[in-house]
Amino acid sequence: MAVHNIVVIGASYAGLGTAHYLLRHTIPALEKANTPTKYRLTLISAVTHFYHKVAAPRLLASADLIPLSKAFLPIKDGFKDYDQEHFELVIGTATTLDEARKTITVEDTYGSASSRTLTYDTVVVATGSSSESRLWSIPGSHETTIAALKEMQSALPKAKTVLIAGGGPAGTESAGEIASLFPQIDITLLSGADRLLTRLRPALGAAAESQASALGVKVVHNLKVTSTTKTGSQTTVSLSNGTSRTVDIYIDATGIRPNSAFLPKTWLTEKGYVITKDTTSLRGPADGVYAIGDVAGYSLGGALDIIDAVRPLCSTMFADLAGPNAGGVKPQPFKQTVTETQLVPVGPKGGVGSVFGWRVPSFVIWMLKSRNYMIGMVPGTVVGDNFVKA
């Protein structure tokens, strides 16, 4: 009996959603269409726990407002209801993908020298992106990020000065959270541009700056960090204007890089994102290759570029694999949201944002995000609640 191996690399928001949809809907449909071929899905996760990094600005500021146990959940618990014939969870970091042999080398993330080679027929790259700081992403064990968050929680009550680099959502939200809890701290936020939140219209960036300033945050534009030196408990920060400053706490919130170093260079754009042939099918640069989420070339970096892409990707895969046995079922095209959509809390009472181009008031930001940073969605994300229905 032939077995078709589908491998999903990455188990954050994009990888989890894709794996659940394939297991619940696509694989049963393929086995019905292509009898007697069997389909098996392997999910490669570099870590054992899912991290709800959306809540990082609040998690780093306080141990009390959102318990860490609610932001880190075991991935295996979300897949316990699937049978072993169709599913396997592999914990490890994908280090090499050999396109010619269709193999993926996976090395243990947690310290042993062991490695494993997996064979794929179809692969979905959903490895996401990483940040310089351990606060925003998991560089190894999830325990490393938990330790970084706890270290920040412990340091803030004793700090007199905090410098945050990065005027996007992560930096702006972190400044608001820290200023709300510790009004005595001298907090400086470097936007690195001519305004905050450059993906939103200038008026919303100005509104965010006004709200941050009201909390005591000093916002400085057109100034970037060029290097940092840690000396004891303090950090000396060198700036792009030739000056330097020593602070008690430095937080790097300056952008992301795609997790794609293990992939063939021919699959990647100049900036390291996986090439997607078009933004409707999410097919990748080679046959049997698909990409979704922050690592994919189509993505603008928002949550909708994940949630809205899962069904189209999986329906495209079904059409590609079922071929003439698809029964007339056509792929569902991915329709990307290009209108302004972003919610940015500035402290626990509200913030700024826009939904599908419509500016929303501060109390709506509180209702949708600032109240609890969507922590209630975490269990559902791990078990794939958004994709129960086809």
Side-chain angles (χ1 to χ4, degrees), residues 117-156:
T117 300
L118 303 176
T119 300
Y120 72 88
D121 297 295
T122 299
V123 64
V124 180
V125 183
T127 44
S129 57
S130 296
S131 306
E132 288 297 325
S133 172
R134 294 176 297 162
L135 297 168
W136 317 115
S137 56
I138 302 179
S141 164
H142 71 285
E143 295 171 353
T144 303
T145 297
I146 289 177
L149 292 167
K150 287 183 175 180
E151 181 181 353
M152 186 64 65
Q153 293 168 353
S154 176
L156 281 169

PDB file of all heavy atoms in Angstrom, residues 117-156:
ATOM      1  N   THR A 117      16.439  11.808   9.908  1.00  0.00           N
ATOM      2  CA  THR A 117      16.148  12.222   8.543  1.00  0.00           C
ATOM      3  C   THR A 117      14.754  11.754   8.151  1.00  0.00           C
ATOM      4  O   THR A 117      14.443  10.563   8.249  1.00  0.00           O
ATOM      5  CB  THR A 117      17.175  11.642   7.556  1.00  0.00           C
ATOM      6  OG1 THR A 117      18.480  12.119   7.908  1.00  0.00           O
ATOM      7  CG2 THR A 117      16.864  12.085   6.138  1.00  0.00           C
ATOM      8  N   LEU A 118      13.923  12.701   7.739  1.00  0.00           N
ATOM      9  CA  LEU A 118      12.553  12.413   7.333  1.00  0.00           C
ATOM     10  C   LEU A 118      12.427  12.551   5.825  1.00  0.00           C
ATOM     11  O   LEU A 118      13.063  13.424   5.213  1.00  0.00           O
ATOM     12  CB  LEU A 118      11.575  13.375   8.009  1.00  0.00           C
ATOM     13  CG  LEU A 118      11.590  13.423   9.542  1.00  0.00           C
ATOM     14  CD1 LEU A 118      10.637  14.499  10.029  1.00  0.00           C
ATOM     15  CD2 LEU A 118      11.213  12.079  10.130  1.00  0.00           C
ATOM     16  N   THR A 119      11.604  11.715   5.231  1.00  0.00           N
ATOM     17  CA  THR A 119      11.332  11.791   3.803  1.00  0.00           C
ATOM     18  C   THR A 119       9.959  12.423   3.588  1.00  0.00           C
ATOM     19  O   THR A 119       9.013  12.120   4.319  1.00  0.00           O
ATOM     20  CB  THR A 119      11.350  10.394   3.173  1.00  0.00           C
ATOM     21  OG1 THR A 119      12.626   9.807   3.378  1.00  0.00           O
ATOM     22  CG2 THR A 119      11.072  10.463   1.680  1.00  0.00           C
ATOM     23  N   TYR A 120       9.877  13.304   2.610  1.00  0.00           N
ATOM     24  CA  TYR A 120       8.586  13.931   2.321  1.00  0.00           C
ATOM     25  C   TYR A 120       8.209  13.755   0.857  1.00  0.00           C
ATOM     26  O   TYR A 120       9.065  13.626  -0.019  1.00  0.00           O
ATOM     27  CB  TYR A 120       8.616  15.425   2.662  1.00  0.00           C
ATOM     28  CG  TYR A 120       9.445  16.276   1.722  1.00  0.00           C
ATOM     29  CD1 TYR A 120       8.888  16.830   0.568  1.00  0.00           C
ATOM     30  CD2 TYR A 120      10.784  16.545   1.979  1.00  0.00           C
ATOM     31  CE1 TYR A 120       9.645  17.609  -0.305  1.00  0.00           C
ATOM     32  CE2 TYR A 120      11.551  17.322   1.114  1.00  0.00           C
ATOM     33  CZ  TYR A 120      10.979  17.846  -0.024  1.00  0.00           C
ATOM     34  OH  TYR A 120      11.723  18.603  -0.901  1.00  0.00           O
ATOM     35  N   ASP A 121       6.905  13.717   0.605  1.00  0.00           N
ATOM     36  CA  ASP A 121       6.373  13.820  -0.757  1.00  0.00           C
ATOM     37  C   ASP A 121       5.802  15.218  -0.981  1.00  0.00           C
ATOM     38  O   ASP A 121       5.889  15.765  -2.079  1.00  0.00           O
ATOM     39  CB  ASP A 121       5.280  12.765  -0.969  1.00  0.00           C
ATOM     40  CG  ASP A 121       5.818  11.346  -0.849  1.00  0.00           C
ATOM     41  OD1 ASP A 121       6.647  10.969  -1.691  1.00  0.00           O
ATOM     42  OD2 ASP A 121       5.419  10.637   0.094  1.00  0.00           O
ATOM     43  N   THR A 122       5.209  15.760   0.082  1.00  0.00           N
ATOM     44  CA  THR A 122       4.666  17.121   0.071  1.00  0.00           C
ATOM     45  C   THR A 122       5.140  17.814   1.336  1.00  0.00           C
ATOM     46  O   THR A 122       5.162  17.195   2.408  1.00  0.00           O
ATOM     47  CB  THR A 122       3.122  17.096   0.038  1.00  0.00           C
ATOM     48  OG1 THR A 122       2.683  16.427  -1.143  1.00  0.00           O
ATOM     49  CG2 THR A 122       2.549  18.499   0.073  1.00  0.00           C
ATOM     50  N   VAL A 123       5.524  19.070   1.228  1.00  0.00           N
ATOM     51  CA  VAL A 123       6.016  19.788   2.398  1.00  0.00           C
ATOM     52  C   VAL A 123       5.359  21.161   2.486  1.00  0.00           C
ATOM     53  O   VAL A 123       5.160  21.836   1.468  1.00  0.00           O
ATOM     54  CB  VAL A 123       7.564  19.914   2.374  1.00  0.00           C
ATOM     55  CG1 VAL A 123       8.042  20.749   1.189  1.00  0.00           C
ATOM     56  CG2 VAL A 123       8.082  20.491   3.684  1.00  0.00           C
ATOM     57  N   VAL A 124       5.012  21.532   3.704  1.00  0.00           N
ATOM     58  CA  VAL A 124       4.489  22.871   4.000  1.00  0.00           C
ATOM     59  C   VAL A 124       5.490  23.569   4.908  1.00  0.00           C
ATOM     60  O   VAL A 124       5.776  23.086   6.009  1.00  0.00           O
ATOM     61  CB  VAL A 124       3.114  22.817   4.694  1.00  0.00           C
ATOM     62  CG1 VAL A 124       2.614  24.237   4.984  1.00  0.00           C
ATOM     63  CG2 VAL A 124       2.112  22.052   3.844  1.00  0.00           C
ATOM     64  N   VAL A 125       6.028  24.685   4.450  1.00  0.00           N
ATOM     65  CA  VAL A 125       6.972  25.462   5.261  1.00  0.00           C
ATOM     66  C   VAL A 125       6.182  26.501   6.048  1.00  0.00           C
ATOM     67  O   VAL A 125       5.568  27.403   5.486  1.00  0.00           O
ATOM     68  CB  VAL A 125       8.035  26.146   4.383  1.00  0.00           C
ATOM     69  CG1 VAL A 125       9.041  26.893   5.264  1.00  0.00           C
ATOM     70  CG2 VAL A 125       8.750  25.130   3.513  1.00  0.00           C
ATOM     71  N   ALA A 126       6.190  26.338   7.368  1.00  0.00           N
ATOM     72  CA  ALA A 126       5.440  27.233   8.253  1.00  0.00           C
ATOM     73  C   ALA A 126       6.305  27.582   9.458  1.00  0.00           C
ATOM     74  O   ALA A 126       5.829  27.612  10.599  1.00  0.00           O
ATOM     75  CB  ALA A 126       4.134  26.572   8.701  1.00  0.00           C
ATOM     76  N   THR A 127       7.574  27.856   9.199  1.00  0.00           N
ATOM     77  CA  THR A 127       8.552  28.035  10.269  1.00  0.00           C
ATOM     78  C   THR A 127       8.553  29.434  10.886  1.00  0.00           C
ATOM     79  O   THR A 127       9.278  29.686  11.848  1.00  0.00           O
ATOM     80  CB  THR A 127       9.965  27.713   9.755  1.00  0.00           C
ATOM     81  OG1 THR A 127      10.148  28.312   8.466  1.00  0.00           O
ATOM     82  CG2 THR A 127      10.154  26.218   9.616  1.00  0.00           C
ATOM     83  N   GLY A 128       7.780  30.346  10.321  1.00  0.00           N
ATOM     84  CA  GLY A 128       7.634  31.656  10.942  1.00  0.00           C
ATOM     85  C   GLY A 128       8.889  32.498  10.890  1.00  0.00           C
ATOM     86  O   GLY A 128       9.718  32.387   9.985  1.00  0.00           O
ATOM     87  N   SER A 129       9.051  33.317  11.911  1.00  0.00           N
ATOM     88  CA  SER A 129      10.161  34.269  11.966  1.00  0.00           C
ATOM     89  C   SER A 129      10.710  34.338  13.381  1.00  0.00           C
ATOM     90  O   SER A 129      10.090  33.864  14.336  1.00  0.00           O
ATOM     91  CB  SER A 129       9.688  35.658  11.524  1.00  0.00           C
ATOM     92  OG  SER A 129       8.596  36.084  12.333  1.00  0.00           O
ATOM     93  N   SER A 130      11.886  34.935  13.505  1.00  0.00           N
ATOM     94  CA  SER A 130      12.544  35.076  14.802  1.00  0.00           C
ATOM     95  C   SER A 130      12.964  36.512  15.030  1.00  0.00           C
ATOM     96  O   SER A 130      13.118  37.292  14.080  1.00  0.00           O
ATOM     97  CB  SER A 130      13.782  34.173  14.892  1.00  0.00           C
ATOM     98  OG  SER A 130      13.426  32.819  14.811  1.00  0.00           O
ATOM     99  N   SER A 131      13.183  36.836  16.288  1.00  0.00           N
ATOM    100  CA  SER A 131      13.659  38.152  16.689  1.00  0.00           C
ATOM    101  C   SER A 131      14.992  38.012  17.397  1.00  0.00           C
ATOM    102  O   SER A 131      15.363  36.921  17.841  1.00  0.00           O
ATOM    103  CB  SER A 131      12.651  38.831  17.620  1.00  0.00           C
ATOM    104  OG  SER A 131      11.371  38.877  17.035  1.00  0.00           O
ATOM    105  N   GLU A 132      15.711  39.112  17.502  1.00  0.00           N
ATOM    106  CA  GLU A 132      16.982  39.083  18.226  1.00  0.00           C
ATOM    107  C   GLU A 132      16.764  38.764  19.703  1.00  0.00           C
ATOM    108  O   GLU A 132      17.538  38.041  20.315  1.00  0.00           O
ATOM    109  CB  GLU A 132      17.700  40.425  18.078  1.00  0.00           C
ATOM    110  CG  GLU A 132      18.278  40.679  16.700  1.00  0.00           C
ATOM    111  CD  GLU A 132      19.342  39.678  16.316  1.00  0.00           C
ATOM    112  OE1 GLU A 132      20.104  39.231  17.199  1.00  0.00           O
ATOM    113  OE2 GLU A 132      19.410  39.327  15.129  1.00  0.00           O
ATOM    114  N   SER A 133      15.709  39.296  20.270  1.00  0.00           N
ATOM    115  CA  SER A 133      15.441  39.107  21.689  1.00  0.00           C
ATOM    116  C   SER A 133      14.710  37.800  21.948  1.00  0.00           C
ATOM    117  O   SER A 133      13.819  37.405  21.191  1.00  0.00           O
ATOM    118  CB  SER A 133      14.600  40.273  22.224  1.00  0.00           C
ATOM    119  OG  SER A 133      14.184  40.018  23.552  1.00  0.00           O
ATOM    120  N   ARG A 134      15.055  37.149  23.034  1.00  0.00           N
ATOM    121  CA  ARG A 134      14.370  35.916  23.434  1.00  0.00           C
ATOM    122  C   ARG A 134      12.944  36.191  23.916  1.00  0.00           C
ATOM    123  O   ARG A 134      12.162  35.256  24.074  1.00  0.00           O
ATOM    124  CB  ARG A 134      15.146  35.237  24.563  1.00  0.00           C
ATOM    125  CG  ARG A 134      16.514  34.713  24.162  1.00  0.00           C
ATOM    126  CD  ARG A 134      17.238  34.153  25.371  1.00  0.00           C
ATOM    127  NE  ARG A 134      17.490  35.180  26.377  1.00  0.00           N
ATOM    128  CZ  ARG A 134      17.785  34.928  27.645  1.00  0.00           C
ATOM    129  NH1 ARG A 134      17.849  33.687  28.080  1.00  0.00           N
ATOM    130  NH2 ARG A 134      18.015  35.910  28.489  1.00  0.00           N
ATOM    131  N   LEU A 135      12.612  37.442  24.136  1.00  0.00           N
ATOM    132  CA  LEU A 135      11.277  37.769  24.638  1.00  0.00           C
ATOM    133  C   LEU A 135      10.190  37.497  23.606  1.00  0.00           C
ATOM    134  O   LEU A 135       9.053  37.195  23.959  1.00  0.00           O
ATOM    135  CB  LEU A 135      11.219  39.243  25.047  1.00  0.00           C
ATOM    136  CG  LEU A 135      12.135  39.666  26.190  1.00  0.00           C
ATOM    137  CD1 LEU A 135      12.184  41.180  26.292  1.00  0.00           C
ATOM    138  CD2 LEU A 135      11.665  39.052  27.510  1.00  0.00           C
ATOM    139  N   TRP A 136      10.529  37.618  22.318  1.00  0.00           N
ATOM    140  CA  TRP A 136       9.508  37.560  21.275  1.00  0.00           C
ATOM    141  C   TRP A 136       9.440  36.218  20.567  1.00  0.00           C
ATOM    142  O   TRP A 136       8.450  35.933  19.884  1.00  0.00           O
ATOM    143  CB  TRP A 136       9.769  38.654  20.231  1.00  0.00           C
ATOM    144  CG  TRP A 136      10.148  39.963  20.820  1.00  0.00           C
ATOM    145  CD1 TRP A 136      11.357  40.597  20.681  1.00  0.00           C
ATOM    146  CD2 TRP A 136       9.356  40.810  21.658  1.00  0.00           C
ATOM    147  NE1 TRP A 136      11.349  41.781  21.379  1.00  0.00           N
ATOM    148  CE2 TRP A 136      10.142  41.943  21.996  1.00  0.00           C
ATOM    149  CE3 TRP A 136       8.053  40.717  22.164  1.00  0.00           C
ATOM    150  CZ2 TRP A 136       9.669  42.977  22.800  1.00  0.00           C
ATOM    151  CZ3 TRP A 136       7.587  41.738  22.976  1.00  0.00           C
ATOM    152  CH2 TRP A 136       8.384  42.846  23.283  1.00  0.00           C
ATOM    153  N   SER A 137      10.461  35.412  20.672  1.00  0.00           N
ATOM    154  CA  SER A 137      10.455  34.132  19.985  1.00  0.00           C
ATOM    155  C   SER A 137      11.272  33.138  20.788  1.00  0.00           C
ATOM    156  O   SER A 137      12.013  33.508  21.707  1.00  0.00           O
ATOM    157  CB  SER A 137      11.021  34.267  18.566  1.00  0.00           C
ATOM    158  OG  SER A 137      12.318  34.817  18.582  1.00  0.00           O
ATOM    159  N   ILE A 138      11.133  31.859  20.423  1.00  0.00           N
ATOM    160  CA  ILE A 138      11.814  30.797  21.170  1.00  0.00           C
ATOM    161  C   ILE A 138      13.045  30.358  20.389  1.00  0.00           C
ATOM    162  O   ILE A 138      12.923  29.707  19.350  1.00  0.00           O
ATOM    163  CB  ILE A 138      10.870  29.604  21.405  1.00  0.00           C
ATOM    164  CG1 ILE A 138       9.613  30.060  22.166  1.00  0.00           C
ATOM    165  CG2 ILE A 138      11.577  28.514  22.181  1.00  0.00           C
ATOM    166  CD1 ILE A 138       8.614  28.954  22.414  1.00  0.00           C
ATOM    167  N   PRO A 139      14.247  30.681  20.861  1.00  0.00           N
ATOM    168  CA  PRO A 139      15.463  30.324  20.136  1.00  0.00           C
ATOM    169  C   PRO A 139      15.886  28.878  20.336  1.00  0.00           C
ATOM    170  O   PRO A 139      16.754  28.385  19.640  1.00  0.00           O
ATOM    171  CB  PRO A 139      16.501  31.282  20.733  1.00  0.00           C
ATOM    172  CG  PRO A 139      16.019  31.510  22.123  1.00  0.00           C
ATOM    173  CD  PRO A 139      14.519  31.487  22.059  1.00  0.00           C
ATOM    174  N   GLY A 140      15.301  28.207  21.290  1.00  0.00           N
ATOM    175  CA  GLY A 140      15.621  26.812  21.581  1.00  0.00           C
ATOM    176  C   GLY A 140      14.485  26.244  22.398  1.00  0.00           C
ATOM    177  O   GLY A 140      13.345  26.250  21.966  1.00  0.00           O
ATOM    178  N   SER A 141      14.771  25.784  23.575  1.00  0.00           N
ATOM    179  CA  SER A 141      13.733  25.329  24.486  1.00  0.00           C
ATOM    180  C   SER A 141      12.816  26.483  24.870  1.00  0.00           C
ATOM    181  O   SER A 141      13.266  27.620  25.029  1.00  0.00           O
ATOM    182  CB  SER A 141      14.368  24.737  25.744  1.00  0.00           C
ATOM    183  OG  SER A 141      13.429  24.630  26.783  1.00  0.00           O
ATOM    184  N   HIS A 142      11.523  26.195  25.032  1.00  0.00           N
ATOM    185  CA  HIS A 142      10.597  27.234  25.487  1.00  0.00           C
ATOM    186  C   HIS A 142      10.989  27.750  26.860  1.00  0.00           C
ATOM    187  O   HIS A 142      10.648  28.873  27.243  1.00  0.00           O
ATOM    188  CB  HIS A 142       9.165  26.698  25.512  1.00  0.00           C
ATOM    189  CG  HIS A 142       8.906  25.695  26.601  1.00  0.00           C
ATOM    190  ND1 HIS A 142       9.365  24.395  26.531  1.00  0.00           N
ATOM    191  CD2 HIS A 142       8.263  25.804  27.789  1.00  0.00           C
ATOM    192  CE1 HIS A 142       9.003  23.748  27.634  1.00  0.00           C
ATOM    193  NE2 HIS A 142       8.336  24.571  28.405  1.00  0.00           N
ATOM    194  N   GLU A 143      11.720  26.936  27.595  1.00  0.00           N
ATOM    195  CA  GLU A 143      12.158  27.345  28.929  1.00  0.00           C
ATOM    196  C   GLU A 143      13.122  28.531  28.856  1.00  0.00           C
ATOM    197  O   GLU A 143      13.220  29.325  29.799  1.00  0.00           O
ATOM    198  CB  GLU A 143      12.811  26.158  29.636  1.00  0.00           C
ATOM    199  CG  GLU A 143      11.832  25.021  29.921  1.00  0.00           C
ATOM    200  CD  GLU A 143      12.518  23.767  30.414  1.00  0.00           C
ATOM    201  OE1 GLU A 143      13.769  23.750  30.407  1.00  0.00           O
ATOM    202  OE2 GLU A 143      11.827  22.811  30.790  1.00  0.00           O
ATOM    203  N   THR A 144      13.820  28.666  27.738  1.00  0.00           N
ATOM    204  CA  THR A 144      14.716  29.807  27.545  1.00  0.00           C
ATOM    205  C   THR A 144      13.925  31.107  27.496  1.00  0.00           C
ATOM    206  O   THR A 144      14.322  32.118  28.095  1.00  0.00           O
ATOM    207  CB  THR A 144      15.518  29.636  26.242  1.00  0.00           C
ATOM    208  OG1 THR A 144      16.234  28.410  26.287  1.00  0.00           O
ATOM    209  CG2 THR A 144      16.495  30.782  26.048  1.00  0.00           C
ATOM    210  N   THR A 145      12.800  31.093  26.781  1.00  0.00           N
ATOM    211  CA  THR A 145      11.964  32.292  26.699  1.00  0.00           C
ATOM    212  C   THR A 145      11.280  32.566  28.028  1.00  0.00           C
ATOM    213  O   THR A 145      11.157  33.726  28.445  1.00  0.00           O
ATOM    214  CB  THR A 145      10.925  32.127  25.575  1.00  0.00           C
ATOM    215  OG1 THR A 145      11.621  32.010  24.331  1.00  0.00           O
ATOM    216  CG2 THR A 145       9.990  33.319  25.514  1.00  0.00           C
ATOM    217  N   ILE A 146      10.826  31.533  28.702  1.00  0.00           N
ATOM    218  CA  ILE A 146      10.227  31.718  30.027  1.00  0.00           C
ATOM    219  C   ILE A 146      11.238  32.353  30.978  1.00  0.00           C
ATOM    220  O   ILE A 146      10.909  33.273  31.746  1.00  0.00           O
ATOM    221  CB  ILE A 146       9.720  30.373  30.591  1.00  0.00           C
ATOM    222  CG1 ILE A 146       8.480  29.918  29.815  1.00  0.00           C
ATOM    223  CG2 ILE A 146       9.414  30.487  32.080  1.00  0.00           C
ATOM    224  CD1 ILE A 146       7.955  28.564  30.246  1.00  0.00           C
ATOM    225  N   ALA A 147      12.483  31.892  30.916  1.00  0.00           N
ATOM    226  CA  ALA A 147      13.529  32.467  31.775  1.00  0.00           C
ATOM    227  C   ALA A 147      13.757  33.933  31.456  1.00  0.00           C
ATOM    228  O   ALA A 147      13.948  34.764  32.359  1.00  0.00           O
ATOM    229  CB  ALA A 147      14.824  31.674  31.620  1.00  0.00           C
ATOM    230  N   ALA A 148      13.741  34.293  30.163  1.00  0.00           N
ATOM    231  CA  ALA A 148      13.940  35.688  29.767  1.00  0.00           C
ATOM    232  C   ALA A 148      12.795  36.560  30.263  1.00  0.00           C
ATOM    233  O   ALA A 148      13.003  37.695  30.718  1.00  0.00           O
ATOM    234  CB  ALA A 148      14.063  35.788  28.247  1.00  0.00           C
ATOM    235  N   LEU A 149      11.575  36.057  30.177  1.00  0.00           N
ATOM    236  CA  LEU A 149      10.420  36.814  30.669  1.00  0.00           C
ATOM    237  C   LEU A 149      10.491  37.002  32.185  1.00  0.00           C
ATOM    238  O   LEU A 149      10.238  38.098  32.705  1.00  0.00           O
ATOM    239  CB  LEU A 149       9.130  36.103  30.285  1.00  0.00           C
ATOM    240  CG  LEU A 149       8.795  36.086  28.784  1.00  0.00           C
ATOM    241  CD1 LEU A 149       7.686  35.091  28.498  1.00  0.00           C
ATOM    242  CD2 LEU A 149       8.390  37.476  28.309  1.00  0.00           C
ATOM    243  N   LYS A 150      10.861  35.950  32.888  1.00  0.00           N
ATOM    244  CA  LYS A 150      10.969  36.047  34.345  1.00  0.00           C
ATOM    245  C   LYS A 150      12.082  37.006  34.755  1.00  0.00           C
ATOM    246  O   LYS A 150      11.946  37.757  35.736  1.00  0.00           O
ATOM    247  CB  LYS A 150      11.215  34.666  34.943  1.00  0.00           C
ATOM    248  CG  LYS A 150       9.993  33.755  34.914  1.00  0.00           C
ATOM    249  CD  LYS A 150      10.294  32.426  35.600  1.00  0.00           C
ATOM    250  CE  LYS A 150       9.058  31.556  35.682  1.00  0.00           C
ATOM    251  NZ  LYS A 150       9.336  30.250  36.351  1.00  0.00           N
ATOM    252  N   GLU A 151      13.175  36.979  34.014  1.00  0.00           N
ATOM    253  CA  GLU A 151      14.280  37.905  34.304  1.00  0.00           C
ATOM    254  C   GLU A 151      13.832  39.355  34.152  1.00  0.00           C
ATOM    255  O   GLU A 151      14.167  40.210  34.978  1.00  0.00           O
ATOM    256  CB  GLU A 151      15.443  37.605  33.360  1.00  0.00           C
ATOM    257  CG  GLU A 151      16.663  38.475  33.579  1.00  0.00           C
ATOM    258  CD  GLU A 151      17.777  38.166  32.599  1.00  0.00           C
ATOM    259  OE1 GLU A 151      17.662  37.184  31.834  1.00  0.00           O
ATOM    260  OE2 GLU A 151      18.768  38.914  32.586  1.00  0.00           O
ATOM    261  N   MET A 152      13.047  39.628  33.108  1.00  0.00           N
ATOM    262  CA  MET A 152      12.539  40.973  32.895  1.00  0.00           C
ATOM    263  C   MET A 152      11.553  41.360  33.995  1.00  0.00           C
ATOM    264  O   MET A 152      11.586  42.490  34.513  1.00  0.00           O
ATOM    265  CB  MET A 152      11.875  41.075  31.528  1.00  0.00           C
ATOM    266  CG  MET A 152      11.425  42.473  31.141  1.00  0.00           C
ATOM    267  SD  MET A 152      12.809  43.638  30.955  1.00  0.00           S
ATOM    268  CE  MET A 152      13.660  42.902  29.556  1.00  0.00           C
ATOM    269  N   GLN A 153      10.683  40.435  34.351  1.00  0.00           N
ATOM    270  CA  GLN A 153       9.711  40.701  35.418  1.00  0.00           C
ATOM    271  C   GLN A 153      10.404  41.037  36.738  1.00  0.00           C
ATOM    272  O   GLN A 153       9.935  41.893  37.494  1.00  0.00           O
ATOM    273  CB  GLN A 153       8.805  39.477  35.609  1.00  0.00           C
ATOM    274  CG  GLN A 153       7.880  39.184  34.443  1.00  0.00           C
ATOM    275  CD  GLN A 153       7.219  37.816  34.558  1.00  0.00           C
ATOM    276  OE1 GLN A 153       7.538  37.027  35.449  1.00  0.00           O
ATOM    277  NE2 GLN A 153       6.307  37.526  33.645  1.00  0.00           N
ATOM    278  N   SER A 154      11.504  40.385  36.980  1.00  0.00           N
ATOM    279  CA  SER A 154      12.253  40.612  38.218  1.00  0.00           C
ATOM    280  C   SER A 154      13.038  41.920  38.183  1.00  0.00           C
ATOM    281  O   SER A 154      13.179  42.605  39.211  1.00  0.00           O
ATOM    282  CB  SER A 154      13.205  39.438  38.455  1.00  0.00           C
ATOM    283  OG  SER A 154      14.010  39.659  39.584  1.00  0.00           O
ATOM    284  N   ALA A 155      13.530  42.293  36.995  1.00  0.00           N
ATOM    285  CA  ALA A 155      14.388  43.476  36.884  1.00  0.00           C
ATOM    286  C   ALA A 155      13.601  44.787  36.878  1.00  0.00           C
ATOM    287  O   ALA A 155      14.091  45.811  37.372  1.00  0.00           O
ATOM    288  CB  ALA A 155      15.232  43.375  35.622  1.00  0.00           C
ATOM    289  N   LEU A 156      12.416  44.791  36.319  1.00  0.00           N
ATOM    290  CA  LEU A 156      11.681  46.045  36.149  1.00  0.00           C
ATOM    291  C   LEU A 156      11.382  46.780  37.457  1.00  0.00           C
ATOM    292  O   LEU A 156      11.531  48.012  37.513  1.00  0.00           O
ATOM    293  CB  LEU A 156      10.382  45.789  35.379  1.00  0.00           C
ATOM    294  CG  LEU A 156      10.540  45.657  33.856  1.00  0.00           C
ATOM    295  CD1 LEU A 156       9.254  45.148  33.223  1.00  0.00           C
ATOM    296  CD2 LEU A 156      10.945  46.997  33.245  1.00  0.00           C
TER     297      LEU A 156
END
